[in-house]
Every structure is written in structure tokens, then in C-alpha cells.
Amino acid sequence: MSQEPHNPESAVEADTDTSAAVPRRNGRSKGVASPIQASHSLEDVIVNRVHSDAARLGLTTLDRVGNTPLLRFDRITRDLPGITLLGKAEWFNPGGSVKDRAASRIISEGRRSGRFSSDKTLLDSTSGNTGIAYAMFGAAEGFPVTLCMPENVSIERKHILHAYGANIVYTDPAEGSDGAIRVARELHAKHPDKYFYADQYSNDANWQAHYYGTANEIWQQTEGRVTHFVSMLGTSGTFVGTSRRLKELNPKIRCISLQPDSPFHGIEGAKHMASAIVPKIYDPTLADEDLGISTEDSYAMAIRLAREEGLLVGISAASAIVGSLQVARRLKPGEQAVFVAILPDSGDKYLSERFWEEG
Ligand code: PLP
């Protein structure tokens, strides 16, 4: 795996670069010439000012990636004094999931390196959320997108991808996300000049999106008080990038990765590493603990979070809360700890699942 040196200074700088867009979203950008210098009459000054200021009003799709809120779960931690449980609400990203972060960096790195030239179609395999992110950015920026995905992804995801106008190649549901990876590789091998193969499983821009973004946001939002970080593994980009940076900021932070506890599971977006094609970017040495989470416990937690906290979260988000509570219950009674769990998406895309009726 090729990696940039993990220089905390450079990470802060890069993060400042990215998040510097925030205060400037509706304000003035650095280096923009004053309209007074560029005009002659008062009328010109006023017209130019209206136009140049108007051009900076509102947010673009890209502007809305990252800086997601941290939610606090008070009711489900009632019996755990000393534990603060926080969830990073990634559905606040414009495409509704954590994967907007990886997709936007993969696209911008592809453009910067020249690999994603303007004549190419973006190609990748995806279990859904990354595909939604690619399709959304493709629509917003005007490039074509082809996605390979297992036929059995939720109907809501299929409708969203269709709405954004992406081209979808359905793959054998029995082969899961690995089948989709194989088909994407074949397509790229057949037409290397047609496609930019984004390859989220091997692309360093995936974990870097979290190294420069998610981790620094968590650090700032918890005022450096985070003690435990918990995340489900899919491509592993979220866990790897965030843990790598958090451990630089404070090596004592415990980083806990989660996986489905069996190869056959209902946790969309998650990977059972022992039985899957292991992503190139995965670095298991970053995890202080790796826990197997059951689909049934995740379903039950999704229902609990809806009914006790008033929050509709996706299944892998519910898994992250199950994992956080498992670790929290093992701490000494009353021990102070601040858990941050990644909530990759909301429950909206899973409402057709039967478990809601059974709860
Ligand atoms: N949860 C959901 C719902 C996802 O869609 C994904 C990835 O697609 C993940 C978790 C895992 O995130 P990562 O790929 O960064 O490991």
C-alpha cells in the first residue's frame, strides 16, 4: 500500500485546507480581486459586487461533504454512568452516507493524477452507498458512471441510482460484493481506455478521506476527549483512515473494528473479512479489538434506537452501537469514557426490510 507519511502537521494542514471551505462557503474567498479594483463606475462596482457575491451564495453538492454532527445517546446508556456515547451522523452528507467522503476524494485524486481524464467513465463495484455517491457526483459534475453491484441490494438504493442516471451492471447476489468486484475488474480489463476504475477497495484516497476529514472532525467535536472509536468494516476505509489519524493525535484512543459475525449476514455495506476478498487498504494492526456483531442484534438495536432515541439509523450504524455498548459494559463501573461510533447511514433505505414489522 502506498501511503503518505503520517505527519500530524501535514494532516492538520490538509484538513484545514478542506474545512477552510466551510467558513468561506457563504463568505469571501481568499485571493478574489475586489470588485472596486476591477470596475470603473459606481454602477459597475454595484453590479459586479452583486454578481461576484451571488456566485458564492448557497452550497454546492461537494461543499456539503463532511462536517457531520455528533449525536449523543443518553437513554440507551442510562445504566452506564460515566459513559458518553456519541454517533457521527454520516447521513448528513449530501448522498446520505459516509461514502460521500471516500467517493469525493477518489474522484478528485483521480482528476489530479490524470487517471480520471474527461473522456472516461467512472467504474467501480459497490454494495450501494459508494455507488450513490459516485452517481450523485457524476450527475453534479457531468461525467458518466457505471456501477457493478449485487442484484439483491435494497430496492431503495436501486431507485436512487436510477434517479441519478447511473448505468448499473447487476451481479450474482450469491457472490455478494466479491462477485461485483470480479465483474468490475473484468470490465476494466476489457476496456481499459473507456473506464477510470476507481477501485475503492485498493484506492488510498478512500482511507485518506477519513484521515484528513472524519478523524480531525471527531477530535475537534469531542475537544480531544474521545477515548474509544468504533466502526464497522466494509472497504475498511472509514476505520483505517480515522484510526490512523486518531492514534497520531492520542495513541491511547482505543480503536475497535467490527465485522459481521458470519459470512452470511444482513449488514449491508459490511464485510466478513475471513471469508471475503480482503481490501488492499485494510490494516488490521490498527485495531485494539475486532468484534463480530450479529445481524439479529443489529436489527434489534435499530428498532431500539428508533423507539428509545427517536433515531432511524441504518443496520451497520446499529451494529456500531451494539459494539460500543459491548465494550462499554466491560469497563470498570463508573469509569469515564467517551465513545464515538460511526453511523454510516440512516434507516430510510432499509424501511422495506421485514425486521421492522417483527420488532
Ligand atoms: N456501512 C454502510 C451502510 C456502508 O455502505 C459501508 C460502506 O459502503 C460501510 C458501513 C463501511 O464503510 P467502509 O467502506 O469505509 O469500511
PDB file of all heavy atoms in Angstrom, residues 145-179:
ATOM      1  N   VAL A 145     -21.179   7.304 -15.154  1.00  0.00           N
ATOM      2  CA  VAL A 145     -20.836   6.391 -14.051  1.00  0.00           C
ATOM      3  C   VAL A 145     -21.412   5.003 -14.355  1.00  0.00           C
ATOM      4  O   VAL A 145     -22.588   4.887 -14.698  1.00  0.00           O
ATOM      5  CB  VAL A 145     -21.441   6.915 -12.723  1.00  0.00           C
ATOM      6  CG1 VAL A 145     -21.274   5.909 -11.593  1.00  0.00           C
ATOM      7  CG2 VAL A 145     -20.811   8.260 -12.337  1.00  0.00           C
ATOM      8  N   THR A 146     -20.563   3.961 -14.261  1.00  0.00           N
ATOM      9  CA  THR A 146     -21.031   2.583 -14.393  1.00  0.00           C
ATOM     10  C   THR A 146     -20.718   1.841 -13.099  1.00  0.00           C
ATOM     11  O   THR A 146     -19.582   1.876 -12.622  1.00  0.00           O
ATOM     12  CB  THR A 146     -20.350   1.869 -15.588  1.00  0.00           C
ATOM     13  OG1 THR A 146     -20.779   2.512 -16.792  1.00  0.00           O
ATOM     14  CG2 THR A 146     -20.733   0.401 -15.653  1.00  0.00           C
ATOM     15  N   LEU A 147     -21.735   1.197 -12.523  1.00  0.00           N
ATOM     16  CA  LEU A 147     -21.576   0.538 -11.222  1.00  0.00           C
ATOM     17  C   LEU A 147     -21.908  -0.944 -11.327  1.00  0.00           C
ATOM     18  O   LEU A 147     -22.917  -1.309 -11.936  1.00  0.00           O
ATOM     19  CB  LEU A 147     -22.524   1.185 -10.211  1.00  0.00           C
ATOM     20  CG  LEU A 147     -22.385   2.696 -10.057  1.00  0.00           C
ATOM     21  CD1 LEU A 147     -23.559   3.260  -9.268  1.00  0.00           C
ATOM     22  CD2 LEU A 147     -21.061   3.036  -9.377  1.00  0.00           C
ATOM     23  N   CYS A 148     -21.041  -1.781 -10.724  1.00  0.00           N
ATOM     24  CA  CYS A 148     -21.325  -3.217 -10.646  1.00  0.00           C
ATOM     25  C   CYS A 148     -21.793  -3.497  -9.227  1.00  0.00           C
ATOM     26  O   CYS A 148     -21.073  -3.182  -8.268  1.00  0.00           O
ATOM     27  CB  CYS A 148     -20.053  -4.021 -10.933  1.00  0.00           C
ATOM     28  SG  CYS A 148     -19.353  -3.631 -12.546  1.00  0.00           S
ATOM     29  N   MET A 149     -22.965  -4.072  -9.082  1.00  0.00           N
ATOM     30  CA  MET A 149     -23.480  -4.321  -7.733  1.00  0.00           C
ATOM     31  C   MET A 149     -24.363  -5.558  -7.672  1.00  0.00           C
ATOM     32  O   MET A 149     -25.029  -5.887  -8.650  1.00  0.00           O
ATOM     33  CB  MET A 149     -24.224  -3.102  -7.213  1.00  0.00           C
ATOM     34  CG  MET A 149     -25.369  -2.629  -8.041  1.00  0.00           C
ATOM     35  SD  MET A 149     -25.794  -0.953  -7.614  1.00  0.00           S
ATOM     36  CE  MET A 149     -26.454  -1.221  -6.028  1.00  0.00           C
ATOM     37  N   PRO A 150     -24.339  -6.252  -6.522  1.00  0.00           N
ATOM     38  CA  PRO A 150     -25.167  -7.450  -6.395  1.00  0.00           C
ATOM     39  C   PRO A 150     -26.643  -7.105  -6.589  1.00  0.00           C
ATOM     40  O   PRO A 150     -27.117  -6.083  -6.086  1.00  0.00           O
ATOM     41  CB  PRO A 150     -24.908  -7.924  -4.949  1.00  0.00           C
ATOM     42  CG  PRO A 150     -23.686  -7.208  -4.501  1.00  0.00           C
ATOM     43  CD  PRO A 150     -23.599  -5.946  -5.294  1.00  0.00           C
ATOM     44  N   GLU A 151     -27.321  -7.974  -7.317  1.00  0.00           N
ATOM     45  CA  GLU A 151     -28.719  -7.733  -7.687  1.00  0.00           C
ATOM     46  C   GLU A 151     -29.630  -7.533  -6.470  1.00  0.00           C
ATOM     47  O   GLU A 151     -30.656  -6.867  -6.557  1.00  0.00           O
ATOM     48  CB  GLU A 151     -29.202  -8.939  -8.506  1.00  0.00           C
ATOM     49  CG  GLU A 151     -30.663  -8.925  -8.858  1.00  0.00           C
ATOM     50  CD  GLU A 151     -30.899  -8.877 -10.356  1.00  0.00           C
ATOM     51  OE1 GLU A 151     -30.267  -9.694 -11.042  1.00  0.00           O
ATOM     52  OE2 GLU A 151     -31.689  -8.026 -10.798  1.00  0.00           O
ATOM     53  N   ASN A 152     -29.228  -8.110  -5.317  1.00  0.00           N
ATOM     54  CA  ASN A 152     -30.131  -8.087  -4.152  1.00  0.00           C
ATOM     55  C   ASN A 152     -29.970  -6.866  -3.241  1.00  0.00           C
ATOM     56  O   ASN A 152     -30.470  -6.875  -2.126  1.00  0.00           O
ATOM     57  CB  ASN A 152     -29.944  -9.357  -3.325  1.00  0.00           C
ATOM     58  CG  ASN A 152     -28.519  -9.521  -2.824  1.00  0.00           C
ATOM     59  OD1 ASN A 152     -27.600  -8.912  -3.366  1.00  0.00           O
ATOM     60  ND2 ASN A 152     -28.328 -10.317  -1.797  1.00  0.00           N
ATOM     61  N   VAL A 153     -29.278  -5.814  -3.679  1.00  0.00           N
ATOM     62  CA  VAL A 153     -29.219  -4.616  -2.809  1.00  0.00           C
ATOM     63  C   VAL A 153     -30.631  -4.049  -2.686  1.00  0.00           C
ATOM     64  O   VAL A 153     -31.492  -4.314  -3.523  1.00  0.00           O
ATOM     65  CB  VAL A 153     -28.235  -3.515  -3.311  1.00  0.00           C
ATOM     66  CG1 VAL A 153     -26.836  -4.049  -3.420  1.00  0.00           C
ATOM     67  CG2 VAL A 153     -28.710  -2.883  -4.578  1.00  0.00           C
ATOM     68  N   SER A 154     -30.844  -3.244  -1.671  1.00  0.00           N
ATOM     69  CA  SER A 154     -32.223  -2.844  -1.357  1.00  0.00           C
ATOM     70  C   SER A 154     -32.840  -2.045  -2.510  1.00  0.00           C
ATOM     71  O   SER A 154     -32.151  -1.331  -3.243  1.00  0.00           O
ATOM     72  CB  SER A 154     -32.262  -2.048  -0.054  1.00  0.00           C
ATOM     73  OG  SER A 154     -31.689  -0.781  -0.242  1.00  0.00           O
ATOM     74  N   ILE A 155     -34.132  -2.188  -2.632  1.00  0.00           N
ATOM     75  CA  ILE A 155     -34.878  -1.558  -3.729  1.00  0.00           C
ATOM     76  C   ILE A 155     -34.741  -0.032  -3.667  1.00  0.00           C
ATOM     77  O   ILE A 155     -34.663   0.645  -4.691  1.00  0.00           O
ATOM     78  CB  ILE A 155     -36.365  -2.006  -3.708  1.00  0.00           C
ATOM     79  CG1 ILE A 155     -37.097  -1.558  -4.966  1.00  0.00           C
ATOM     80  CG2 ILE A 155     -37.098  -1.540  -2.465  1.00  0.00           C
ATOM     81  CD1 ILE A 155     -36.737  -2.349  -6.186  1.00  0.00           C
ATOM     82  N   GLU A 156     -34.630   0.493  -2.430  1.00  0.00           N
ATOM     83  CA  GLU A 156     -34.488   1.940  -2.285  1.00  0.00           C
ATOM     84  C   GLU A 156     -33.203   2.409  -2.974  1.00  0.00           C
ATOM     85  O   GLU A 156     -33.186   3.434  -3.653  1.00  0.00           O
ATOM     86  CB  GLU A 156     -34.440   2.334  -0.798  1.00  0.00           C
ATOM     87  CG  GLU A 156     -35.739   2.125  -0.036  1.00  0.00           C
ATOM     88  CD  GLU A 156     -35.853   0.750   0.613  1.00  0.00           C
ATOM     89  OE1 GLU A 156     -35.145  -0.192   0.180  1.00  0.00           O
ATOM     90  OE2 GLU A 156     -36.662   0.607   1.554  1.00  0.00           O
ATOM     91  N   ARG A 157     -32.115   1.624  -2.806  1.00  0.00           N
ATOM     92  CA  ARG A 157     -30.836   2.022  -3.423  1.00  0.00           C
ATOM     93  C   ARG A 157     -30.930   1.990  -4.941  1.00  0.00           C
ATOM     94  O   ARG A 157     -30.408   2.866  -5.629  1.00  0.00           O
ATOM     95  CB  ARG A 157     -29.718   1.095  -2.964  1.00  0.00           C
ATOM     96  CG  ARG A 157     -29.355   1.377  -1.538  1.00  0.00           C
ATOM     97  CD  ARG A 157     -28.227   0.501  -1.069  1.00  0.00           C
ATOM     98  NE  ARG A 157     -28.193   0.615   0.371  1.00  0.00           N
ATOM     99  CZ  ARG A 157     -27.100   0.640   1.089  1.00  0.00           C
ATOM    100  NH1 ARG A 157     -25.933   0.541   0.523  1.00  0.00           N
ATOM    101  NH2 ARG A 157     -27.151   0.768   2.398  1.00  0.00           N
ATOM    102  N   LYS A 158     -31.586   0.952  -5.465  1.00  0.00           N
ATOM    103  CA  LYS A 158     -31.733   0.853  -6.917  1.00  0.00           C
ATOM    104  C   LYS A 158     -32.486   2.078  -7.448  1.00  0.00           C
ATOM    105  O   LYS A 158     -32.100   2.658  -8.462  1.00  0.00           O
ATOM    106  CB  LYS A 158     -32.502  -0.417  -7.284  1.00  0.00           C
ATOM    107  CG  LYS A 158     -31.713  -1.690  -7.026  1.00  0.00           C
ATOM    108  CD  LYS A 158     -32.537  -2.903  -7.401  1.00  0.00           C
ATOM    109  CE  LYS A 158     -31.786  -4.183  -7.067  1.00  0.00           C
ATOM    110  NZ  LYS A 158     -32.600  -5.383  -7.193  1.00  0.00           N
ATOM    111  N   HIS A 159     -33.540   2.478  -6.752  1.00  0.00           N
ATOM    112  CA  HIS A 159     -34.325   3.634  -7.201  1.00  0.00           C
ATOM    113  C   HIS A 159     -33.476   4.910  -7.172  1.00  0.00           C
ATOM    114  O   HIS A 159     -33.557   5.731  -8.081  1.00  0.00           O
ATOM    115  CB  HIS A 159     -35.560   3.833  -6.298  1.00  0.00           C
ATOM    116  CG  HIS A 159     -36.642   2.831  -6.552  1.00  0.00           C
ATOM    117  ND1 HIS A 159     -36.964   2.374  -7.807  1.00  0.00           N
ATOM    118  CD2 HIS A 159     -37.479   2.183  -5.706  1.00  0.00           C
ATOM    119  CE1 HIS A 159     -37.954   1.504  -7.728  1.00  0.00           C
ATOM    120  NE2 HIS A 159     -38.278   1.354  -6.455  1.00  0.00           N
ATOM    121  N   ILE A 160     -32.666   5.060  -6.130  1.00  0.00           N
ATOM    122  CA  ILE A 160     -31.845   6.283  -6.018  1.00  0.00           C
ATOM    123  C   ILE A 160     -30.840   6.345  -7.172  1.00  0.00           C
ATOM    124  O   ILE A 160     -30.678   7.372  -7.828  1.00  0.00           O
ATOM    125  CB  ILE A 160     -31.124   6.339  -4.653  1.00  0.00           C
ATOM    126  CG1 ILE A 160     -32.151   6.463  -3.521  1.00  0.00           C
ATOM    127  CG2 ILE A 160     -30.135   7.504  -4.603  1.00  0.00           C
ATOM    128  CD1 ILE A 160     -31.585   6.251  -2.123  1.00  0.00           C
ATOM    129  N   LEU A 161     -30.169   5.202  -7.443  1.00  0.00           N
ATOM    130  CA  LEU A 161     -29.167   5.172  -8.517  1.00  0.00           C
ATOM    131  C   LEU A 161     -29.807   5.473  -9.856  1.00  0.00           C
ATOM    132  O   LEU A 161     -29.238   6.188 -10.693  1.00  0.00           O
ATOM    133  CB  LEU A 161     -28.466   3.808  -8.546  1.00  0.00           C
ATOM    134  CG  LEU A 161     -27.587   3.541  -7.336  1.00  0.00           C
ATOM    135  CD1 LEU A 161     -27.146   2.087  -7.306  1.00  0.00           C
ATOM    136  CD2 LEU A 161     -26.370   4.461  -7.360  1.00  0.00           C
ATOM    137  N   HIS A 162     -30.985   4.911 -10.068  1.00  0.00           N
ATOM    138  CA  HIS A 162     -31.702   5.161 -11.314  1.00  0.00           C
ATOM    139  C   HIS A 162     -32.023   6.654 -11.421  1.00  0.00           C
ATOM    140  O   HIS A 162     -31.868   7.268 -12.478  1.00  0.00           O
ATOM    141  CB  HIS A 162     -32.969   4.307 -11.342  1.00  0.00           C
ATOM    142  CG  HIS A 162     -33.779   4.517 -12.572  1.00  0.00           C
ATOM    143  ND1 HIS A 162     -33.362   4.068 -13.815  1.00  0.00           N
ATOM    144  CD2 HIS A 162     -34.955   5.172 -12.771  1.00  0.00           C
ATOM    145  CE1 HIS A 162     -34.254   4.430 -14.716  1.00  0.00           C
ATOM    146  NE2 HIS A 162     -35.231   5.095 -14.111  1.00  0.00           N
ATOM    147  N   ALA A 163     -32.466   7.242 -10.303  1.00  0.00           N
ATOM    148  CA  ALA A 163     -32.827   8.663 -10.312  1.00  0.00           C
ATOM    149  C   ALA A 163     -31.642   9.545 -10.710  1.00  0.00           C
ATOM    150  O   ALA A 163     -31.804  10.523 -11.430  1.00  0.00           O
ATOM    151  CB  ALA A 163     -33.352   9.069  -8.934  1.00  0.00           C
ATOM    152  N   TYR A 164     -30.432   9.170 -10.258  1.00  0.00           N
ATOM    153  CA  TYR A 164     -29.240   9.969 -10.611  1.00  0.00           C
ATOM    154  C   TYR A 164     -28.729   9.667 -12.020  1.00  0.00           C
ATOM    155  O   TYR A 164     -27.810  10.325 -12.502  1.00  0.00           O
ATOM    156  CB  TYR A 164     -28.101   9.696  -9.616  1.00  0.00           C
ATOM    157  CG  TYR A 164     -28.244  10.391  -8.272  1.00  0.00           C
ATOM    158  CD1 TYR A 164     -28.119   9.674  -7.091  1.00  0.00           C
ATOM    159  CD2 TYR A 164     -28.466  11.764  -8.189  1.00  0.00           C
ATOM    160  CE1 TYR A 164     -28.220  10.292  -5.851  1.00  0.00           C
ATOM    161  CE2 TYR A 164     -28.577  12.389  -6.952  1.00  0.00           C
ATOM    162  CZ  TYR A 164     -28.452  11.655  -5.793  1.00  0.00           C
ATOM    163  OH  TYR A 164     -28.547  12.269  -4.571  1.00  0.00           O
ATOM    164  N   GLY A 165     -29.278   8.633 -12.649  1.00  0.00           N
ATOM    165  CA  GLY A 165     -28.916   8.352 -14.052  1.00  0.00           C
ATOM    166  C   GLY A 165     -27.684   7.484 -14.225  1.00  0.00           C
ATOM    167  O   GLY A 165     -27.085   7.487 -15.300  1.00  0.00           O
ATOM    168  N   ALA A 166     -27.295   6.709 -13.187  1.00  0.00           N
ATOM    169  CA  ALA A 166     -26.103   5.848 -13.327  1.00  0.00           C
ATOM    170  C   ALA A 166     -26.449   4.601 -14.138  1.00  0.00           C
ATOM    171  O   ALA A 166     -27.595   4.154 -14.161  1.00  0.00           O
ATOM    172  CB  ALA A 166     -25.612   5.433 -11.944  1.00  0.00           C
ATOM    173  N   ASN A 167     -25.426   4.040 -14.788  1.00  0.00           N
ATOM    174  CA  ASN A 167     -25.571   2.792 -15.528  1.00  0.00           C
ATOM    175  C   ASN A 167     -25.216   1.651 -14.567  1.00  0.00           C
ATOM    176  O   ASN A 167     -24.141   1.665 -13.970  1.00  0.00           O
ATOM    177  CB  ASN A 167     -24.600   2.859 -16.724  1.00  0.00           C
ATOM    178  CG  ASN A 167     -24.508   1.544 -17.454  1.00  0.00           C
ATOM    179  OD1 ASN A 167     -25.504   0.830 -17.597  1.00  0.00           O
ATOM    180  ND2 ASN A 167     -23.307   1.225 -17.907  1.00  0.00           N
ATOM    181  N   ILE A 168     -26.122   0.687 -14.406  1.00  0.00           N
ATOM    182  CA  ILE A 168     -25.883  -0.363 -13.397  1.00  0.00           C
ATOM    183  C   ILE A 168     -25.715  -1.723 -14.055  1.00  0.00           C
ATOM    184  O   ILE A 168     -26.495  -2.108 -14.927  1.00  0.00           O
ATOM    185  CB  ILE A 168     -27.038  -0.432 -12.376  1.00  0.00           C
ATOM    186  CG1 ILE A 168     -27.212   0.937 -11.730  1.00  0.00           C
ATOM    187  CG2 ILE A 168     -26.762  -1.479 -11.308  1.00  0.00           C
ATOM    188  CD1 ILE A 168     -28.405   1.051 -10.840  1.00  0.00           C
ATOM    189  N   VAL A 169     -24.656  -2.447 -13.633  1.00  0.00           N
ATOM    190  CA  VAL A 169     -24.446  -3.821 -14.074  1.00  0.00           C
ATOM    191  C   VAL A 169     -24.716  -4.689 -12.854  1.00  0.00           C
ATOM    192  O   VAL A 169     -23.955  -4.657 -11.883  1.00  0.00           O
ATOM    193  CB  VAL A 169     -22.981  -4.017 -14.552  1.00  0.00           C
ATOM    194  CG1 VAL A 169     -22.742  -5.460 -14.986  1.00  0.00           C
ATOM    195  CG2 VAL A 169     -22.639  -3.038 -15.668  1.00  0.00           C
ATOM    196  N   TYR A 170     -25.833  -5.431 -12.871  1.00  0.00           N
ATOM    197  CA  TYR A 170     -26.169  -6.272 -11.722  1.00  0.00           C
ATOM    198  C   TYR A 170     -25.355  -7.555 -11.756  1.00  0.00           C
ATOM    199  O   TYR A 170     -25.146  -8.142 -12.818  1.00  0.00           O
ATOM    200  CB  TYR A 170     -27.666  -6.588 -11.698  1.00  0.00           C
ATOM    201  CG  TYR A 170     -28.490  -5.385 -11.286  1.00  0.00           C
ATOM    202  CD1 TYR A 170     -29.430  -4.839 -12.145  1.00  0.00           C
ATOM    203  CD2 TYR A 170     -28.306  -4.792 -10.040  1.00  0.00           C
ATOM    204  CE1 TYR A 170     -30.166  -3.725 -11.775  1.00  0.00           C
ATOM    205  CE2 TYR A 170     -29.039  -3.680  -9.660  1.00  0.00           C
ATOM    206  CZ  TYR A 170     -29.967  -3.148 -10.534  1.00  0.00           C
ATOM    207  OH  TYR A 170     -30.682  -2.050 -10.158  1.00  0.00           O
ATOM    208  N   THR A 171     -24.886  -7.981 -10.565  1.00  0.00           N
ATOM    209  CA  THR A 171     -24.065  -9.194 -10.473  1.00  0.00           C
ATOM    210  C   THR A 171     -24.770 -10.221  -9.590  1.00  0.00           C
ATOM    211  O   THR A 171     -25.748  -9.899  -8.900  1.00  0.00           O
ATOM    212  CB  THR A 171     -22.656  -8.854  -9.921  1.00  0.00           C
ATOM    213  OG1 THR A 171     -22.803  -8.308  -8.600  1.00  0.00           O
ATOM    214  CG2 THR A 171     -21.946  -7.830 -10.800  1.00  0.00           C
ATOM    215  N   ASP A 172     -24.247 -11.446  -9.610  1.00  0.00           N
ATOM    216  CA  ASP A 172     -24.879 -12.581  -8.930  1.00  0.00           C
ATOM    217  C   ASP A 172     -25.011 -12.313  -7.423  1.00  0.00           C
ATOM    218  O   ASP A 172     -23.996 -12.150  -6.730  1.00  0.00           O
ATOM    219  CB  ASP A 172     -24.005 -13.818  -9.170  1.00  0.00           C
ATOM    220  CG  ASP A 172     -24.649 -15.084  -8.624  1.00  0.00           C
ATOM    221  OD1 ASP A 172     -25.622 -14.967  -7.846  1.00  0.00           O
ATOM    222  OD2 ASP A 172     -24.163 -16.173  -8.976  1.00  0.00           O
ATOM    223  N   PRO A 173     -26.231 -12.278  -6.890  1.00  0.00           N
ATOM    224  CA  PRO A 173     -26.399 -11.993  -5.455  1.00  0.00           C
ATOM    225  C   PRO A 173     -25.699 -13.025  -4.579  1.00  0.00           C
ATOM    226  O   PRO A 173     -25.214 -12.686  -3.491  1.00  0.00           O
ATOM    227  CB  PRO A 173     -27.910 -12.046  -5.234  1.00  0.00           C
ATOM    228  CG  PRO A 173     -28.543 -12.352  -6.537  1.00  0.00           C
ATOM    229  CD  PRO A 173     -27.499 -12.492  -7.590  1.00  0.00           C
ATOM    230  N   ALA A 174     -25.610 -14.267  -5.069  1.00  0.00           N
ATOM    231  CA  ALA A 174     -24.971 -15.326  -4.266  1.00  0.00           C
ATOM    232  C   ALA A 174     -23.482 -15.028  -4.067  1.00  0.00           C
ATOM    233  O   ALA A 174     -22.867 -15.501  -3.108  1.00  0.00           O
ATOM    234  CB  ALA A 174     -25.149 -16.677  -4.950  1.00  0.00           C
ATOM    235  N   GLU A 175     -22.894 -14.242  -4.950  1.00  0.00           N
ATOM    236  CA  GLU A 175     -21.455 -13.935  -4.835  1.00  0.00           C
ATOM    237  C   GLU A 175     -21.194 -12.643  -4.065  1.00  0.00           C
ATOM    238  O   GLU A 175     -20.038 -12.250  -3.880  1.00  0.00           O
ATOM    239  CB  GLU A 175     -20.829 -13.854  -6.227  1.00  0.00           C
ATOM    240  CG  GLU A 175     -20.810 -15.199  -6.930  1.00  0.00           C
ATOM    241  CD  GLU A 175     -20.055 -15.130  -8.232  1.00  0.00           C
ATOM    242  OE1 GLU A 175     -19.128 -14.306  -8.356  1.00  0.00           O
ATOM    243  OE2 GLU A 175     -20.414 -15.895  -9.128  1.00  0.00           O
ATOM    244  N   GLY A 176     -22.258 -11.976  -3.645  1.00  0.00           N
ATOM    245  CA  GLY A 176     -22.127 -10.780  -2.805  1.00  0.00           C
ATOM    246  C   GLY A 176     -21.239  -9.712  -3.423  1.00  0.00           C
ATOM    247  O   GLY A 176     -21.119  -9.603  -4.651  1.00  0.00           O
ATOM    248  N   SER A 177     -20.586  -8.928  -2.530  1.00  0.00           N
ATOM    249  CA  SER A 177     -19.766  -7.815  -3.041  1.00  0.00           C
ATOM    250  C   SER A 177     -18.530  -8.320  -3.782  1.00  0.00           C
ATOM    251  O   SER A 177     -18.013  -7.640  -4.670  1.00  0.00           O
ATOM    252  CB  SER A 177     -19.375  -6.876  -1.904  1.00  0.00           C
ATOM    253  OG  SER A 177     -18.724  -7.590  -0.886  1.00  0.00           O
ATOM    254  N   ASP A 178     -18.066  -9.549  -3.465  1.00  0.00           N
ATOM    255  CA  ASP A 178     -16.903 -10.094  -4.184  1.00  0.00           C
ATOM    256  C   ASP A 178     -17.232 -10.360  -5.650  1.00  0.00           C
ATOM    257  O   ASP A 178     -16.393 -10.156  -6.534  1.00  0.00           O
ATOM    258  CB  ASP A 178     -16.409 -11.374  -3.515  1.00  0.00           C
ATOM    259  CG  ASP A 178     -15.695 -11.077  -2.189  1.00  0.00           C
ATOM    260  OD1 ASP A 178     -15.485  -9.875  -1.900  1.00  0.00           O
ATOM    261  OD2 ASP A 178     -15.369 -12.022  -1.460  1.00  0.00           O
ATOM    262  N   GLY A 179     -18.464 -10.809  -5.916  1.00  0.00           N
ATOM    263  CA  GLY A 179     -18.888 -11.036  -7.302  1.00  0.00           C
ATOM    264  C   GLY A 179     -18.872  -9.725  -8.078  1.00  0.00           C
ATOM    265  O   GLY A 179     -18.449  -9.675  -9.239  1.00  0.00           O
TER     266      GLY A 179
END
